Amino acid sequence: MAFSEQQQEATLSSSQARLLEIREEEECSYDTHVSKSLNRLETFLKIFGFCQNSIFTILLSWLSFLLVAVALPLFIFHYFYSSTPNMYEIKSFELEILAFQSLVAAFSLLCISHNLRKYGVRKFLFVDRSHGHCTQLDSEYAKKINDFFYLLAVWLLPCLLVKTAREGIRLLYLPQGPLWQSIAILIALTISWTYSSVIFLSGCTLFNLVCNFQVIRFDNYGKLLEKDLDVSEYIEEHIRLTHYMSKISHRFRIFFVFELLVVTASLFVALVETTGNHGLINLINGADFGVTAIVELVGLVICLHAATRVSHRAQGIVSVATRWHSMATCASNETSSSASQAPISGNGDCMEVSVPLSSDFFHHTYSESDLEAVDYVPIPTNTALSTYQKRQSFVMYLMANPGGFTVFGWRIDRALVNTIFFLEVSLAMFVLGKTITFPSQ
């Protein structure tokens, strides 16, 4: 008997050790999955000069930017473009477009590289305590990182095709010397424009990625209401989420405001130049205004959509908590009434019976629960009245602290975004109407 008991204990310990090994392998595979996506993203950021961890990389990044994004098109405009005005080329248009295009790209490079140098890639993207090391959310994190490249390609490639077609058409009407020289100029200008556009859109898409990670946290916070936790645990976790949002707001507020002002100023200048020009504005000499307006508007829309989405998700927690409070109160009242009809035993204290909520109530809105974001401490069961008061104070706290992305105290919600969006779209439509048209004259 003693030998059999020892054999059973050895078998049990070996099975437990095997389960621990399997769990560790799964966690390592999860972390490797996210790490691979992060390594791809970090390699992309290094190629375009966002990772500036030393003096050498800082000098190399900014020298590359000045040469490719600024010096190369200026050299072509000065030496290969005609100094005499003609209907297919307006040199002042080209210089103004280059100035605003380089300005938004330079500021995007400056802000993102500063944050990456200060925090690193993982801490910059994941502002929570786990820094992305969460097995329950690894697939969602990896998907969002892959969506970064997809979003960048979806918006950049159509604009690149339009830009290439415009440069090709202009060289047909206004050839720059021999054929090989015209082709070389087309390739150089396209590379310079693509480099600046990728840097600008990458900054906007990184902001969108950080906001999407926070949206995942808010989605999983609603799932916590299914758990039988004390109300103080929910409040503490919401305080953490609010703190994370303040981190994001602090890191991106200058970037957000500057991009908004520069894009608006660029569209105003384009509108003034195209309407104030007494010459003929056609698809060849003015289409760059339209292409630049589209790229800048796309970057701004990406930022506005990300800020609005995370603010809307943060404010939506109030409605979820209110429904939870109502259902828990009704369930408590039903339990109390049924308990009053039952025989009383023990010391006669009326204690609340915990009635779990149906998981189907939250299934249509939220995904997997995030247990690692909560420091769970078992607390003794409270009376029904005390529990109701805690839930009520929790709902009042959420109503007074809606959260979301803020810029110097201004919350970026749908009302503000609608005003900004229609202003920018109106300016862009005016610019497109003046440039990408075929006049009858």
Coordinates of all heavy atoms in Angstrom, one line a residue, residues 296-367:
E296 N -2.5 64.5 -46.4 CA -2.6 65.2 -45.1 C -4.0 65.0 -44.5 O -4.1 64.8 -43.2 CB -2.4 66.7 -45.3 CG -0.9 67.0 -45.7 CD -0.8 68.5 -45.9 OE1 -1.8 69.2 -46.0 OE2 0.4 69.0 -46.1
L297 N -5.0 65.0 -45.3 CA -6.4 64.7 -44.7 C -6.5 63.3 -44.2 O -7.1 63.0 -43.2 CB -7.4 65.0 -45.8 CG -8.9 64.9 -45.4 CD1 -9.2 66.0 -44.3 CD2 -9.8 65.1 -46.6
V298 N -5.9 62.3 -44.9 CA -5.9 61.0 -44.5 C -5.2 60.8 -43.1 O -5.8 60.1 -42.2 CB -5.3 60.0 -45.6 CG1 -4.9 58.7 -45.0 CG2 -6.2 59.9 -46.8
G299 N -4.1 61.4 -43.0 CA -3.4 61.3 -41.7 C -4.2 61.9 -40.6 O -4.2 61.4 -39.5
L300 N -4.8 63.1 -40.8 CA -5.6 63.7 -39.8 C -6.8 62.9 -39.5 O -7.2 62.8 -38.3 CB -6.0 65.1 -40.3 CG -6.7 66.0 -39.3 CD1 -5.8 66.3 -38.1 CD2 -7.1 67.4 -39.9
V301 N -7.5 62.3 -40.5 CA -8.6 61.5 -40.2 C -8.3 60.3 -39.4 O -9.0 59.8 -38.5 CB -9.3 61.1 -41.5 CG1 -10.3 60.0 -41.3 CG2 -10.0 62.3 -42.2
I302 N -7.1 59.7 -39.6 CA -6.6 58.5 -38.8 C -6.5 58.9 -37.4 O -6.9 58.2 -36.5 CB -5.3 58.0 -39.4 CG1 -5.5 57.3 -40.8 CG2 -4.7 57.0 -38.4 CD1 -4.3 56.9 -41.5
C303 N -5.9 60.1 -37.1 CA -5.7 60.5 -35.7 C -7.1 60.8 -35.1 O -7.3 60.5 -33.9 CB -4.8 61.8 -35.7 SG -3.1 61.5 -36.2
L304 N -7.9 61.5 -35.8 CA -9.2 61.9 -35.2 C -10.1 60.6 -34.9 O -10.7 60.5 -33.9 CB -10.0 62.8 -36.2 CG -9.4 64.2 -36.4 CD1 -10.2 65.0 -37.4 CD2 -9.5 65.0 -35.1
H305 N -10.0 59.7 -35.8 CA -10.8 58.4 -35.7 C -10.3 57.7 -34.4 O -11.1 57.2 -33.6 CB -10.7 57.6 -36.9 CG -11.4 56.2 -36.8 ND1 -10.7 55.1 -36.4 CD2 -12.7 55.9 -36.9 CE1 -11.5 54.1 -36.4 NE2 -12.7 54.5 -36.6
A306 N -8.9 57.6 -34.3 CA -8.4 56.9 -33.1 C -8.7 57.6 -31.8 O -9.1 56.9 -30.9 CB -6.9 56.8 -33.3
A307 N -8.6 58.9 -31.8 CA -8.9 59.6 -30.6 C -10.4 59.5 -30.2 O -10.8 59.3 -29.0 CB -8.5 61.1 -30.7
T308 N -11.3 59.6 -31.2 CA -12.7 59.5 -31.0 C -13.1 58.1 -30.5 O -13.9 57.9 -29.7 CB -13.5 59.9 -32.3 OG1 -13.0 61.1 -32.7 CG2 -15.0 60.0 -32.0
R309 N -12.5 57.1 -31.1 CA -12.8 55.7 -30.8 C -12.5 55.4 -29.4 O -13.3 54.8 -28.7 CB -12.1 54.8 -31.8 CG -12.6 53.3 -31.6 CD -12.0 52.5 -32.8 NE -12.5 51.1 -32.7 CZ -11.7 50.1 -32.6 NH1 -10.4 50.2 -32.6 NH2 -12.2 48.9 -32.5
V310 N -11.3 55.8 -28.9 CA -10.9 55.4 -27.6 C -11.7 56.3 -26.6 O -12.1 55.8 -25.5 CB -9.4 55.6 -27.4 CG1 -9.0 57.1 -27.4 CG2 -8.9 55.0 -26.1
S311 N -12.1 57.5 -26.9 CA -12.9 58.3 -26.0 C -14.3 57.8 -25.9 O -14.9 57.7 -24.9 CB -13.0 59.8 -26.5 OG -11.7 60.4 -26.5
H312 N -14.9 57.3 -27.1 CA -16.2 56.8 -27.1 C -16.2 55.5 -26.3 O -17.2 55.2 -25.5 CB -16.6 56.5 -28.5 CG -18.0 55.8 -28.6 ND1 -19.1 56.5 -28.3 CD2 -18.3 54.6 -29.0 CE1 -20.2 55.6 -28.5 NE2 -19.7 54.5 -28.9
R313 N -15.2 54.6 -26.4 CA -15.2 53.4 -25.7 C -15.0 53.6 -24.2 O -15.6 52.9 -23.3 CB -14.0 52.5 -26.2 CG -14.2 51.0 -25.9 CD -15.5 50.5 -26.5 NE -15.5 50.7 -27.9 CZ -15.1 49.9 -28.8 NH1 -14.6 48.7 -28.4 NH2 -15.2 50.1 -30.1
A314 N -14.2 54.7 -23.8 CA -14.1 55.0 -22.4 C -15.4 55.5 -21.8 O -15.8 55.2 -20.7 CB -13.0 56.0 -22.2
Q315 N -16.1 56.3 -22.6 CA -17.4 56.9 -22.1 C -18.5 55.8 -22.1 O -19.5 55.9 -21.3 CB -17.8 58.1 -22.9 CG -16.9 59.2 -22.8 CD -17.1 60.3 -23.9 OE1 -18.0 60.2 -24.6 NE2 -16.2 61.3 -23.9
G316 N -18.3 54.8 -23.0 CA -19.3 53.7 -23.0 C -19.3 52.8 -21.8 O -20.3 52.1 -21.5
I317 N -18.2 52.9 -21.0 CA -18.2 52.1 -19.7 C -19.3 52.5 -18.8 O -19.8 51.7 -18.0 CB -16.8 52.3 -19.1 CG1 -15.7 51.7 -19.9 CG2 -16.8 51.6 -17.7 CD1 -15.8 50.2 -20.1
V318 N -19.7 53.8 -18.8 CA -20.8 54.3 -18.0 C -22.1 53.6 -18.2 O -22.8 53.1 -17.3 CB -21.0 55.8 -18.2 CG1 -22.1 56.3 -17.2 CG2 -19.7 56.6 -17.9
S319 N -22.5 53.4 -19.5 CA -23.7 52.7 -19.8 C -23.6 51.2 -19.4 O -24.6 50.7 -18.9 CB -24.0 52.8 -21.3 OG -23.0 52.2 -22.0
V320 N -22.5 50.6 -19.6 CA -22.3 49.2 -19.2 C -22.5 49.0 -17.6 O -23.1 48.1 -17.1 CB -21.0 48.6 -19.7 CG1 -20.8 47.2 -19.2 CG2 -20.9 48.7 -21.2
A321 N -21.8 49.9 -16.9 CA -21.9 49.9 -15.4 C -23.3 50.2 -14.9 O -23.7 49.6 -13.9 CB -20.9 50.9 -14.8
T322 N -24.0 51.1 -15.6 CA -25.4 51.4 -15.2 C -26.3 50.2 -15.4 O -27.1 49.9 -14.5 CB -25.9 52.6 -16.0 OG1 -25.0 53.7 -15.9 CG2 -27.3 53.0 -15.6
R323 N -26.1 49.5 -16.5 CA -26.9 48.3 -16.7 C -26.6 47.2 -15.7 O -27.5 46.5 -15.2 CB -26.7 47.7 -18.2 CG -27.4 48.5 -19.2 CD -27.1 48.0 -20.6 NE -25.7 48.1 -21.0 CZ -25.1 47.6 -22.1 NH1 -25.9 46.9 -22.9 NH2 -23.9 47.8 -22.3
W324 N -25.3 47.1 -15.4 CA -24.9 46.1 -14.4 C -25.4 46.4 -13.1 O -25.9 45.5 -12.3 CB -23.3 46.1 -14.4 CG -22.7 45.4 -13.2 CD1 -22.6 44.1 -12.9 CD2 -22.2 46.1 -12.1 NE1 -22.0 43.9 -11.7 CE2 -21.7 45.1 -11.2 CE3 -21.9 47.4 -11.7 CZ2 -21.1 45.4 -10.0 CZ3 -21.3 47.7 -10.5 CH2 -20.9 46.7 -9.7
H325 N -25.4 47.7 -12.7 CA -26.0 48.1 -11.4 C -27.5 47.8 -11.4 O -28.0 47.3 -10.3 CB -25.7 49.6 -11.2 CG -26.3 50.2 -10.0 ND1 -26.3 49.5 -8.8 CD2 -26.9 51.4 -9.8 CE1 -26.9 50.3 -7.9 NE2 -27.3 51.4 -8.5
S326 N -28.2 48.1 -12.4 CA -29.6 47.9 -12.4 C -30.0 46.4 -12.3 O -30.8 46.0 -11.5 CB -30.2 48.4 -13.7 OG -30.0 49.8 -13.9
M327 N -29.2 45.6 -13.1 CA -29.5 44.1 -13.0 C -29.1 43.5 -11.7 O -29.8 42.6 -11.2 CB -28.8 43.4 -14.2 CG -29.3 43.8 -15.5 SD -28.5 42.8 -16.8 CE -29.1 41.2 -16.5
A328 N -28.0 44.0 -11.1 CA -27.6 43.5 -9.8 C -28.6 43.9 -8.7 O -28.9 43.1 -7.8 CB -26.2 44.0 -9.5
T329 N -29.1 45.1 -8.8 CA -30.1 45.6 -7.9 C -31.4 44.8 -7.9 O -32.0 44.4 -6.9 CB -30.4 47.1 -8.1 OG1 -29.2 47.8 -8.0 CG2 -31.4 47.6 -7.0
C330 N -31.9 44.5 -9.2 CA -33.1 43.7 -9.3 C -32.9 42.3 -8.9 O -33.8 41.7 -8.2 CB -33.5 43.7 -10.8 SG -34.0 45.3 -11.4
A331 N -31.7 41.7 -9.2 CA -31.4 40.4 -8.7 C -31.3 40.3 -7.2 O -31.8 39.4 -6.6 CB -30.1 39.9 -9.3
S332 N -30.8 41.4 -6.6 CA -30.7 41.4 -5.1 C -32.0 41.5 -4.5 O -32.3 40.9 -3.5 CB -29.8 42.6 -4.7 OG -29.8 42.8 -3.3
N333 N -32.9 42.3 -5.1 CA -34.3 42.5 -4.5 C -35.1 41.2 -4.6 O -35.8 40.8 -3.7 CB -35.0 43.6 -5.2 CG -34.4 45.0 -4.9 OD1 -33.8 45.2 -3.9 ND2 -34.6 45.9 -5.8
E334 N -34.9 40.5 -5.7 CA -35.6 39.2 -5.9 C -35.1 38.2 -4.9 O -35.9 37.4 -4.3 CB -35.4 38.7 -7.3 CG -36.2 39.5 -8.4 CD -35.9 39.1 -9.8 OE1 -35.1 38.1 -9.9 OE2 -36.4 39.6 -10.7
T335 N -33.8 38.2 -4.7 CA -33.2 37.2 -3.7 C -33.7 37.6 -2.3 O -33.9 36.7 -1.5 CB -31.7 37.3 -3.8 OG1 -31.3 37.1 -5.2 CG2 -31.1 36.2 -2.9
S336 N -33.7 38.9 -2.0 CA -34.1 39.3 -0.6 C -35.6 38.9 -0.4 O -35.9 38.4 0.7 CB -33.9 40.8 -0.5 OG -32.6 41.1 -0.6
S337 N -36.5 39.1 -1.4 CA -37.9 38.8 -1.2 C -38.1 37.3 -1.0 O -38.9 36.8 -0.2 CB -38.7 39.3 -2.4 OG -38.2 38.7 -3.6
S338 N -37.3 36.5 -1.8 CA -37.4 35.0 -1.7 C -36.8 34.5 -0.4 O -37.3 33.6 0.3 CB -36.8 34.3 -2.8 OG -35.4 34.7 -2.9
A339 N -35.8 35.2 0.1 CA -35.1 34.8 1.4 C -36.0 35.2 2.5 O -36.0 34.5 3.6 CB -33.8 35.5 1.5
S340 N -36.8 36.3 2.4 CA -37.7 36.6 3.5 C -38.8 35.6 3.7 O -39.4 35.5 4.8 CB -38.3 38.0 3.3 OG -39.1 38.0 2.1
Q341 N -39.2 34.9 2.7 CA -40.2 33.9 2.8 C -39.7 32.5 3.3 O -40.4 31.7 3.7 CB -40.9 33.7 1.4 CG -41.6 34.9 0.9 CD -42.2 34.8 -0.4 OE1 -42.1 33.7 -1.0 NE2 -42.8 35.8 -1.0
A342 N -38.4 32.3 3.2 CA -37.8 31.1 3.6 C -37.5 31.1 5.2 O -37.4 32.2 5.8 CB -36.5 30.9 2.9
P343 N -37.4 29.9 5.8 CA -37.1 29.9 7.3 C -35.8 30.5 7.5 O -34.8 30.2 6.8 CB -37.2 28.4 7.6 CG -37.0 27.7 6.3 CD -37.6 28.6 5.3
I344 N -35.7 31.2 8.6 CA -34.4 31.9 9.0 C -33.7 31.0 9.9 O -34.2 30.4 10.9 CB -34.7 33.2 9.7 CG1 -35.5 34.1 8.8 CG2 -33.4 33.9 10.2 CD1 -35.9 35.5 9.4
S345 N -32.4 30.8 9.7 CA -31.5 29.9 10.5 C -30.3 30.7 10.9 O -30.0 31.7 10.3 CB -31.1 28.7 9.7 OG -30.4 29.0 8.6
G346 N -29.5 30.2 11.9 CA -28.3 30.9 12.3 C -28.6 32.0 13.2 O -29.5 32.0 14.0
N347 N -27.9 33.1 13.0 CA -28.0 34.2 13.9 C -29.1 35.2 13.4 O -29.2 36.3 14.0 CB -26.7 35.0 14.1 CG -26.1 35.4 12.8 OD1 -26.7 35.2 11.7 ND2 -24.9 35.9 12.8
G348 N -29.7 35.0 12.3 CA -30.8 35.8 11.8 C -30.4 37.0 11.0 O -31.2 37.8 10.6
D349 N -29.0 37.1 10.7 CA -28.6 38.2 9.8 C -29.0 38.0 8.4 O -28.9 36.9 7.9 CB -27.1 38.3 9.9 CG -26.6 38.8 11.3 OD1 -27.4 39.4 12.0 OD2 -25.4 38.5 11.6
C350 N -29.5 39.1 7.7 CA -30.0 39.0 6.3 C -28.8 39.3 5.5 O -28.4 40.5 5.3 CB -31.2 39.9 6.1 SG -31.8 39.9 4.4
M351 N -28.2 38.4 4.8 CA -27.0 38.6 4.0 C -27.4 38.5 2.5 O -28.3 37.7 2.2 CB -25.9 37.5 4.3 CG -25.5 37.5 5.7 SD -24.8 39.0 6.3 CE -23.3 39.0 5.5
E352 N -26.7 39.3 1.6 CA -27.1 39.2 0.2 C -26.6 37.9 -0.4 O -25.4 37.6 -0.2 CB -26.4 40.4 -0.5 CG -26.8 40.4 -2.0 CD -26.1 41.6 -2.7 OE1 -25.2 42.2 -2.0 OE2 -26.3 41.8 -3.9
V353 N -27.4 37.3 -1.2 CA -27.0 36.1 -1.9 C -26.5 36.5 -3.3 O -27.2 37.2 -4.0 CB -28.2 35.1 -2.1 CG1 -27.8 33.9 -2.8 CG2 -28.7 34.8 -0.7
S354 N -25.3 36.1 -3.6 CA -24.7 36.5 -4.8 C -25.3 35.8 -6.0 O -25.3 34.6 -6.1 CB -23.2 36.2 -4.8 OG -22.6 36.5 -6.0
V355 N -25.9 36.5 -6.9 CA -26.5 36.0 -8.1 C -25.7 36.4 -9.3 O -25.7 37.6 -9.7 CB -28.0 36.5 -8.3 CG1 -28.6 35.9 -9.5 CG2 -28.8 36.1 -7.0
P356 N -25.0 35.5 -10.0 CA -24.1 35.9 -11.1 C -25.0 36.4 -12.3 O -26.0 35.8 -12.5 CB -23.3 34.7 -11.4 CG -24.1 33.6 -10.9 CD -24.9 34.1 -9.7
L357 N -24.5 37.4 -13.0 CA -25.2 37.8 -14.2 C -25.0 36.9 -15.3 O -23.9 36.2 -15.4 CB -24.7 39.2 -14.6 CG -24.9 40.3 -13.5 CD1 -24.4 41.6 -14.0 CD2 -26.4 40.4 -13.1
S358 N -25.9 36.9 -16.2 CA -25.8 36.0 -17.4 C -24.7 36.6 -18.3 O -24.6 37.7 -18.6 CB -27.1 36.0 -18.2 OG -26.9 35.3 -19.4
S359 N -23.8 35.7 -18.8 CA -22.7 36.1 -19.7 C -23.2 36.5 -21.0 O -22.5 37.2 -21.7 CB -21.7 34.9 -19.8 OG -22.3 33.8 -20.3
D360 N -24.4 36.0 -21.4 CA -24.9 36.4 -22.7 C -25.2 37.9 -22.7 O -25.3 38.5 -23.8 CB -26.2 35.7 -23.0 CG -26.0 34.2 -23.2 OD1 -24.8 33.8 -23.5 OD2 -26.9 33.4 -22.9
F361 N -25.4 38.5 -21.6 CA -25.7 40.0 -21.5 C -24.5 40.8 -22.1 O -24.7 41.9 -22.6 CB -26.1 40.4 -20.1 CG -26.3 41.8 -19.9 CD1 -27.5 42.4 -20.4 CD2 -25.4 42.6 -19.3 CE1 -27.7 43.7 -20.2 CE2 -25.6 44.0 -19.1 CZ -26.8 44.5 -19.6
F362 N -23.3 40.3 -21.8 CA -22.1 41.0 -22.3 C -21.5 40.5 -23.5 O -20.6 41.0 -24.1 CB -21.1 41.0 -21.2 CG -21.5 41.7 -19.9 CD1 -22.1 40.9 -18.9 CD2 -21.4 43.0 -19.7 CE1 -22.5 41.5 -17.7 CE2 -21.8 43.6 -18.5 CZ -22.4 42.9 -17.5
H363 N -22.0 39.3 -24.0 CA -21.3 38.6 -25.1 C -21.3 39.4 -26.4 O -20.3 39.3 -27.1 CB -22.0 37.3 -25.3 CG -21.4 36.4 -26.3 ND1 -20.1 35.9 -26.2 CD2 -21.8 36.1 -27.6 CE1 -19.8 35.2 -27.3 NE2 -20.8 35.3 -28.1
H364 N -22.3 40.2 -26.6 CA -22.4 40.8 -27.9 C -21.5 42.1 -28.0 O -21.4 42.6 -29.1 CB -23.9 41.2 -28.2 CG -24.4 42.3 -27.3 ND1 -24.7 42.1 -26.0 CD2 -24.5 43.7 -27.5 CE1 -25.1 43.3 -25.4 NE2 -25.0 44.2 -26.3
T365 N -20.9 42.5 -26.9 CA -20.1 43.7 -26.9 C -18.7 43.5 -26.6 O -17.8 44.1 -27.2 CB -20.7 44.7 -25.9 OG1 -22.1 44.9 -26.2 CG2 -20.0 46.0 -25.9
Y366 N -18.4 42.6 -25.7 CA -17.0 42.5 -25.2 C -16.4 41.1 -25.4 O -17.1 40.1 -25.6 CB -17.0 42.8 -23.7 CG -17.4 44.2 -23.4 CD1 -18.7 44.4 -23.0 CD2 -16.6 45.2 -23.6 CE1 -19.2 45.7 -22.8 CE2 -17.0 46.5 -23.4 CZ -18.3 46.8 -23.0 OH -18.7 48.0 -22.8
S367 N -15.1 41.1 -25.4 CA -14.3 39.9 -25.7 C -13.8 39.2 -24.4 O -14.4 39.4 -23.3 CB -13.2 40.2 -26.6 OG -12.4 41.2 -26.1

